[in-house]
Amino acid sequence: MIQSLQGIGMTSPRTRERMINRLMEQGISNNKVLDVIRNTPRHIFMDEALASRAYEDTSLPIGYNQTISRPYIVAKMTELLLESSGRLAKVLEIGTGCGYQTSILAQLVDNVYSVERIAPLQKKAKDRLWDLKLKNVSYKHSDGGWGWPDYAPYDGILVAAAPPEIPEMLLQQLAVGGVMVIPIGNRSGSQQLQRVLRTETGYEVEELESVVFVPFQSGRK
Ligand code: SAH
């Protein structure tokens, strides 16, 4: 356990530092985000066979046809959430996946509510976060298109899979003054990262860069 958390060789502190330098070159500037990424062992979120590639800026398979997002995209989405909102007491995450993004959020906000439609992926993620002693996370096995109404409204919502348009239930569960970061696009075509701010009177949508995410799928597995 200790060994796997610390990492050796390709997962060493020096390898991680190279990843941080790359993120800074790519425009990530929030020091809190960079520090948390520097100190989080990304290699424990993937199969051992792929662990040596954990600090490359690439998405990698995590089973069930899903991928762990590139470090740049995790950093960018986290930075966008943090810079546009005040205190993030409650953040809803759709798409727990392997739990890497969840672990980054858990170290920067008060409480994370993470929804995933594929049960075994979520189970593994939960175990990893437990090993990392990140206990401010609640998990729900559900179709994220419904959000998680019990704890709404959320100061932040981060969506890690791309729907063709912003799900209505997620808009409803965003607090006034809250921010949602979400990739929008269809399966084959291009996808775009969007930031949605809820104001007293409605929603402001900002279109950011092009991105590549797995599709947002309905139903549970
Ligand atoms: N941030 C995750 C990304 C995982 S990929 C990570 O770093 O590992 C996106 C995840 O979203 C997948 O696990 C997929 O199963 C999940 N997903 C897709 N559509 C969903 C939906 N409607 N509700 C909940 N999860 C969904």
Side-chain angles (χ1 to χ4, degrees), residues 31-176:
N31 283 326
K32 282 195 208 161
V33 174
L34 290 166
D35 271 350
V36 166
I37 292 183
R38 178 184 288 113
N39 295 318
T40 303
R42 191 169 185 263
H43 61 278
I44 68 157
F45 291 88
M46 48 196 73
D47 289 344
E48 244 164 86
L50 289 170
S52 66
R53 302 188 56 196
Y55 300 94
E56 294 175 15
D57 193 27
T58 177
S59 60
L60 292 164
I62 53 172
Y64 305 90
N65 265 332
Q66 306 302 321
T67 53
I68 178 172
S69 308
R70 298 162 58 194
Y72 167 73
I73 233 23
V74 172
K76 184 72 196 178
M77 290 177 91
T78 310
E79 186 170 85
L80 286 166
L81 265 194
L82 258 57
E83 78 184 14
S84 14
S85 190
R87 175 162 170 240
L88 292 162
K90 289 190 283 180
V91 173
L92 174 67
E93 178 189 43
I94 307 297
T96 318
C98 67
Y100 179 67
Q101 170 82 71
T102 322
S103 75
I104 302 298
L105 283 175
Q107 296 173 75
L108 292 162
V109 309
D110 295 354
N111 295 288
V112 182
Y113 298 86
S114 190
V115 179
E116 169 61 56
R117 63 183 288 276
I118 302 176
L121 273 181
Q122 193 172 45
K123 164 82 175 69
K124 268 203 212 169
K126 200 171 169 176
D127 292 347
R128 291 179 179 122
L129 268 78
W130 192 254
D131 286 344
L132 291 173
K133 303 193 168 43
L134 298 172
K135 297 181 180 167
N136 55 339
V137 184
S138 309
Y139 304 87
K140 186 180 175 71
H141 176 221
S142 170
D143 176 348
W146 300 105
W148 192 346
D150 303 13
Y151 299 99
Y154 299 96
D155 309 305
I157 300 182
L158 191 155
V159 184
E165 54 192 39
I166 306 171
E168 180 59 36
M169 294 295 280
L170 298 185
L171 288 172
Q172 283 177 21
Q173 291 171 30
L174 189 61
V176 171

